[in-house]
């Protein structure tokens, strides 16, 4: 028999004083979001991260006509350096020229392009590296890794103008994904708006900042109930404060597709270090790693017969494989979780959850944190990861044999 009891180490409710307060309207602030305090070392790290991912500046948009238009843009496969046939292990270069809606070449960079080689029949795919020359031209670099046809695919995920708009929205409208909480006492129930980035208000606010991790979270105080009666968290609406013209910038496009046929093997000198090496690729639907780490697909290794859930698609979920003695539990992350609805009693920050795990050589922890942070300033995502990293380090200190896998 396996009894699994999870106790969050830290209960943030049941403090003596009601955590409601009347907020001060922030003075000169770039954002109305509350950033979790971090140490000077972490602040330096954050600064370096932000610098390393800084996006090229785009000129402010004068007209939609000046933004990148995938329909006019073109790419060409450059001939092999030194000429001759393509072989596996060769580096393929593709030149991409971006144009605007007048079909004039762009003169600045910053378009978010994703390039890949694909062969759908072979269920094969490998991603390329896109180099921005900051003058409207880009180079995509690929490693040829399979024999047979390879289609080049370049996708404009967002034009540089759209990237600029999104960046601005993350400061000005980080609350465009709204959240709600239900408060209930007996037959009295109220629902109020919650966020990390709660619009400045003179109404009383409940401070649900997590006392263990310091992660900020606030809700407007219900009129007739105390902050301690919060029972449910849910995603509200997606508000898109976009003008229709600007809206047009947010489109996915296949720029163009073209193909070539690499030939097998061949001892080409790989001019080693200058080569772009992806971490791996798909071939016949299976991931082939090019790095040192071998990957396993768990679902083919064991059979999770007994799935028990709470009856909703939110966590906690639990699965047990009796024969192989494997127990899998699944928990979602804390706010700003964008799920339909979840009981606040089940809303755990990953760092607190990690603190409740004993760890050891028979424990694997898999983490994935990303999409629900997309509408906030990057600092919020970075600080969340810093707080998770502190908890991972605590876990690895008390149980160094624990395997922690982080999906980026
Ligand atoms: C923007 O487009 C207009 C025509 O629609 C053109 O006259 C102008 O030069 C373009 N500006 C830039 C910066 O490309
Ligand atoms: C070139 O790269 C390919 C694929 O990674 C590898 O199999 C081959 O051994 C390399 N050739 C040389 C000469 O290093
Ligand atoms: C853009 O920059 C690249 C790299 O410096 C250069 O090779 C290319 O000719 C430039 N293109 C234009 C249109 O200026
Ligand atoms: C909210 O609570 C946290 C921790 O209890 C505290 O550090 C923070 O100053 C409070 N925030 C506001 C705006 O009162
Ligand atoms: C709060 O209680 C008062 C008096 O019972 C009632 O009139 C009012 O509608 C309640 N407000 C909310 C938001 O439930």
């Amino acid at each position: 028999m396996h009894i699994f009891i999870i106790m969050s180490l830290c209960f943030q409710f049941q403090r003596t004083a009601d955590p409601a307060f009347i907020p001060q309207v922030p003075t000169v602030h770039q954002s109305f979001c509350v950033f979790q305090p971090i140490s000077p070392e972490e602040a330096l790290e954050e600064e370096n991260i932000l610098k390393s991912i800084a996006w090229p500046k785009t000129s402010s948009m004068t007209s939609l006509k000046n933004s990148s238009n995938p329909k006019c843009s073109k790419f060409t496969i450059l001939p092999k350096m030194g000429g001759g046939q393509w072989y596996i292990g060769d580096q393929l270069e593709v030149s991409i020229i971006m144009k605007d809606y007048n079909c004039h070449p762009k003169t600045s960079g910053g378009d978010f392009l994703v390039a890949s080689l694909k062969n759908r029949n072979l269920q094969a795919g490998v991603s390329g590296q896109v180099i921005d020359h900051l003058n409207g031209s880009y180079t995509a670099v690929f490693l040829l890794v399979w024999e047979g046809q390879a289609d080049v695919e370049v996708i404009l995920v967002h034009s540089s103008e759209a990237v600029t708009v999104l960046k601005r929205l993350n400061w000005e409208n980080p609350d465009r994904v709204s959240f709600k909480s239900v408060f209930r006492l007996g037959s009295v129930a109220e629902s109020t708006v919650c966020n990390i980035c709660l619009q400045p208000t003179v109404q009383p606010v409940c401070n649900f900042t997590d006392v263990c991790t310091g992660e900020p979270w606030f809700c407007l105080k219900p009129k007739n109930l105390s902050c301690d009666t919060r029972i449910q968290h849910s995603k509200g609406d997606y508000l898109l404060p976009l003008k229709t013209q600007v809206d047009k910038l947010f489109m996915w496009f296949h720029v163009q597709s073209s193909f070539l046929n690499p030939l097998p093997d061949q001892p080409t000198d790989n001019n080693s270090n200058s080569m772009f090496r992806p971490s791996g690729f798909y071939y016949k639907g299976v991931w082939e790693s090019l790095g040192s780490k071998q990957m396993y697909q768990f679902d083919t290794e064991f059979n999770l017969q007994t799935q028990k859930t709470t009856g909703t698609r939110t966590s906690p979920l639990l699965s047990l494989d009796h024969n192989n003695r494997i127990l899998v539990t699944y928990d979602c992350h804390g706010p700003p979780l964008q799920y339909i609805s979840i009981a606040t009693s089940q809303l755990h920050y990953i760092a607190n959850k990690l603190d409740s795990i004993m760890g050891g050589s028979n424990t694997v922890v898999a983490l994935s944190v990303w999409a629900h942070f997309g509408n906030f300033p990057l600092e919020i995502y970075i600080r969340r990861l810093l707080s998770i990293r502190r908890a991972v380090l605590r876990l690895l200190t008390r149980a160094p044999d624990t395997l922690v896998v982080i999906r980026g």
Side-chain angles (χ1 to χ4, degrees), residues 33-34 36 174-180 194-197 208 215-218 230 233-236 238 332-340 342 347-350 369-377 380-381 383-385 388:
C33 301
V34 173
Q36 182 189 359
D175 58 342
R176 64 190 185 278
V177 177
S178 76
F179 298 92
K180 286 185 296 196
C194 306
N195 215 309
I196 306 171
C197 308
F208 292 114
E215 299 286 354
W217 191 254
F218 305 94
R230 174 169 166 252
H233 164 93
S234 62
K235 175 184 77 65
Y238 291 108
C332 10
H333 60 82
L337 181 70
Q338 291 177 23
Y339 267 9
I340 311 280
I342 182 167
L347 201 57
H348 306 294
Y349 286 99
I350 292 173
V369 193
W370 51 291
H372 295 177
F373 293 82
N375 52 295
F376 295 107
I380 289 177
Y381 180 61
R383 280 149 204 248
R384 178 62 56 95
L385 291 185
I388 292 170

Side-chain angles (χ1 to χ4, degrees), residues 12-48:
Q12 67 162 30
F13 46 89
Q14 302 311 335
R15 273 170 295 167
T16 43
D18 191 289
F21 65 99
I22 306 270
Q24 306 296 309
V25 176
T27 46
V28 234
H29 248 290
Q30 288 174 288
S31 161
F32 54 93
C33 301
V34 173
F35 292 161
Q36 182 189 359
I38 50 177
S39 71
E41 293 77 32
E42 289 171 335
L44 188 64
E45 192 178 3
E46 179 183 75
E47 197 184 315
N48 288 335

Side-chain angles (χ1 to χ4, degrees), residues 350-361:
I350 292 173
N352 290 342
K353 191 78 201 174
L354 289 173
D355 282 342
S356 76
I357 293 172
M358 190 179 233
S361 57

